[in-house]
DNA sequence: CTGAAAGCGCTTACAG
DNA sequence: CTGAAAGCGCTTACAG
């Protein structure tokens, strides 16, 4: 960087961009805010200048002048604490600099749902982010729609038209994991399904069946157990899978909590993981590295998804304020297969 | 609220406070920032007015004019992911509105410590927050001191003079838990100790010995096991405690991860928790409600401690900027005993 | 569609 | 120790 003296606090302001583009600061501002009433020509020039100068809007300045900061609600029902913690980390990281206010409301059951929703609406939130499993509640989304409040659905397995969403491709993530197990040499692979009312659970299970079939492998009834995404349900499911004669050499659990339970059950039976049994999870929540052996799992970038949810929400709010329809953008984030200690070739 | 029209965006500004107190805005500003060069008289008047009007500084305005926002580093080594997530939740919540920037650096081992510290210093952070176990590293604190960078130590068992800190009273928290087990009727209580290089581990163990002794109970060698705060170390410790003849009817684990491991081992031995064995933890991290049965534990308000750490840090930075010495304030937060499903009277 | 002016709430830099 | 003036970066409200 050249050693010349800084004239102001911030290196590049919107004034610099305007000057560089040869337009007024107002026009530059309008372009930065996606305001429609700007000619294509100017829009392009400003965008180019902003990029060339690496302009970053000063959010303090913006929020100082703009009448109000965005108020974003996060409405959740019963996700795992670990998941929600990570998600909120992303939400707060992104909302902090933008000056947006975050209101978190929990609900369990229909009645408390009504109460929570009422509180959010009364606080006149500008938008509501719906982490799973509420992301799939038609009723919740319709209520919000009726109140003209934009929604961002997080980690839904079935994105809806006109409702913005962030997610990973659960189907392909699960396929990747099954293919990995296959490549390791496993043939008898067990599946612990997740709560069937959560759309990603369905996708992960379907990926299992499809990939096994594509490999020319049948799936025995005894090798599939229904779970509910909780540790406790994983305990029961793992017992079912491991008690039989022809027990699987690998178990694909639809999330980490149930995988952790599976390892606990296996240890209880004197089974070595991964020597006697490979166990893999999904999500890569903190429990994956808490337990021993550390879990091979599919990493879902939960923090990044929290950030993305806020960005999408801010965009929805702007659109609404300008009378434009919701973008209905569906952002698909990258999953990664994380190979740790709980997987190995079959005995 | 009266229905009169709002003159401006914010209900109460520093101008209102100044007018109410009959001083200039500058004086009001100085008082709000604890600037020393204000007479006692005016200081009192402004404070009273601010309180009367319920004045909340607009942080966007402040950060816009102030040359720079605070840059706060968080340097950590190897805490549990769950703990750090929760802690960061508090840090981000508090730093967001203040506009402070957070820089997180991880280090493992001496060499990477040097690298991480170098990055922080190069980014010219205004202060560094030290979560456990780095909160107890004299070397780290001295390096930071030498660079004239204020420190806030989090959850240290031995607060140092001149270094601000936030913590709970680990000793009394552990005493409360042991007394609870005693009251339940347990006499043979086992202890899983934590990493001895972490000061809170020492306090929790000492509380165990003292409380048992106060109850007139001896502690058998076989009823104490050394752990390292990890799940894996908890597995080994629990095996040691449960294999003997005269096994304990209750086990007090020095943290939740090791308690979770203990429950897994107990289940593996066919023991019912809490029917045959009571297991309790410490910290109340998310794992406490993930596992089954849910853990009775000592709640440490980690999120609130994250917020408090940022508040203390901002105060330290201000003091330093004004040439005053660090406050060396030690904030002690409240713990709570959370009674869930893993504890019951002895069989 | 584009712009000149004013001001959001606060604090810096200068006077006294 | 106290204050009047100016300005941080941005956008609202008004003109054209």
């Amino acid at each position: 960087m050249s050693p010349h003296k800084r004239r102001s606090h911030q290196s590049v302001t919107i004034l610099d961009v305007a000057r560089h583009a040869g337009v007024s600061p107002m026009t530059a501002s309008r372009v930065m805010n996606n305001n429609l009433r700007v000619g294509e020509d100017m829009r392009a020039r400003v965008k180019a200048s902003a990029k060339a100068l690496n302009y970053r809007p000063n959010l303090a300045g913006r929020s100082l002048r703009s009448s109000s900061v965005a108020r974003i609600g996060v409405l959740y029902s019963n996700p795992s604490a670990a998941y929600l913690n990570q998600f909120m980390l992303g939400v707060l990281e992104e909302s902090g600099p933008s000056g947006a206010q975050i209101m978190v409301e929990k609900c369990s059951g229909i009645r408390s749902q009504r109460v929570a929703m009422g509180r959010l609406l009364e606080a006149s939130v500008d938008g509501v982010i719906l982490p799973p499993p509420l992301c799939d509640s038609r009723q919740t989304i319709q209520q919000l729609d009726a109140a003209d409040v934009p929604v961002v659905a997080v980690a839904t397995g079935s994105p809806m038209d006109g409702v913005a969403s962030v997610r990973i491709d659960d189907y392909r993530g699960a396929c990747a994991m099954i293919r990995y197990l296959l490549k390791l040499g496993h043939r008898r692979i067990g599946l612990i399904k997740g709560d069937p009312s959560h759309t990603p659970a369905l996708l992960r299970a379907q990926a299992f069946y499809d990939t096994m079939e594509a490999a020319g492998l049948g799936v025995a009834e005894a090798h599939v157990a229904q779970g509910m995404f909780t540790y406790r349900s994983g305990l029961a499911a793992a017992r079912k899978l491991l008690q039989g004669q022809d027990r699987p050499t690998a178990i694909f659990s639809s999330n980490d909590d149930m995988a952790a339970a599976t390892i606990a059950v296996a240890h209880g039976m004197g089974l070595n993981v991964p020597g006697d049994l490979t166990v893999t999870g999904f999500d890569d929540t903190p429990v994956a590295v808490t337990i021993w052996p550390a879990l091979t799992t599919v990493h879902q970038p939960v923090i990044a998804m929290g950030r993305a949810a806020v960005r999408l929400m801010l965009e929805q709010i702007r659109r609404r304020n300008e009378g434009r329809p919701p973008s209905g953008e569906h952002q698909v984030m990258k999953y990664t297969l994380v190979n740790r200690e709980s997987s190995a070739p079959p005995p």
Side-chain angles (χ1 to χ4, degrees), chain A residues 88-102:
Chain A
M88 288 307 297
L89 231 41
V91 167
L92 293 171
E93 270 179 25
E94 190 70 24
S95 62
S98 82
Q101 282 181 12
I102 302 297

Side-chain angles (χ1 to χ4, degrees), chain A residues 136 155-158 170-172 174 191-210 226-227 229 252 254:
Chain A
D136 284 320
T156 171
S158 59
D170 288 275
Y171 183 85
R172 293 178 57 178
L191 165 69
I192 301 183
K193 298 200 263 189
D195 186 336
S197 71
H198 295 20
T199 46
L202 272 21
L203 259 20
R204 295 174 194 177
Q206 194 57 50
F208 172 82
Y209 289 117
D210 292 354
Q226 180 68 54
F229 278 144
F252 168 62
S254 294

Side-chain angles (χ1 to χ4, degrees), chain A residues 30-45:
Chain A
R30 288 197 182 97
V31 172
M32 295 320 295
N33 289 295
N34 287 317
N35 188 310
L36 288 177
R37 288 183 247 270
V38 181
E40 268 317 314
D41 175 39
M42 302 221 141
R43 177 181 303 278
R45 286 216 318 268

Side-chain angles (χ1 to χ4, degrees), chain A residues 255-280:
Chain A
N255 79 349
D256 291 344
D257 284 1
M258 299 191 297
T262 303
I263 290 179
V265 169
H267 283 165
M269 298 172 65
L271 257 29
N272 185 303
V273 176
D276 301 321
L277 178 73
T278 283
V279 178
T280 66

Side-chain angles (χ1 to χ4, degrees), chain A residues 167-186:
Chain A
R167 61 188 172 98
I168 59 164
D169 190 328
D170 288 275
Y171 183 85
R172 293 178 57 178
C175 285
M177 179 58 90
I178 305 302
R179 278 200 302 270
Y180 163 74
L181 294 175
L182 254 14
K183 200 171 169 192
L184 237 32
H186 292 279

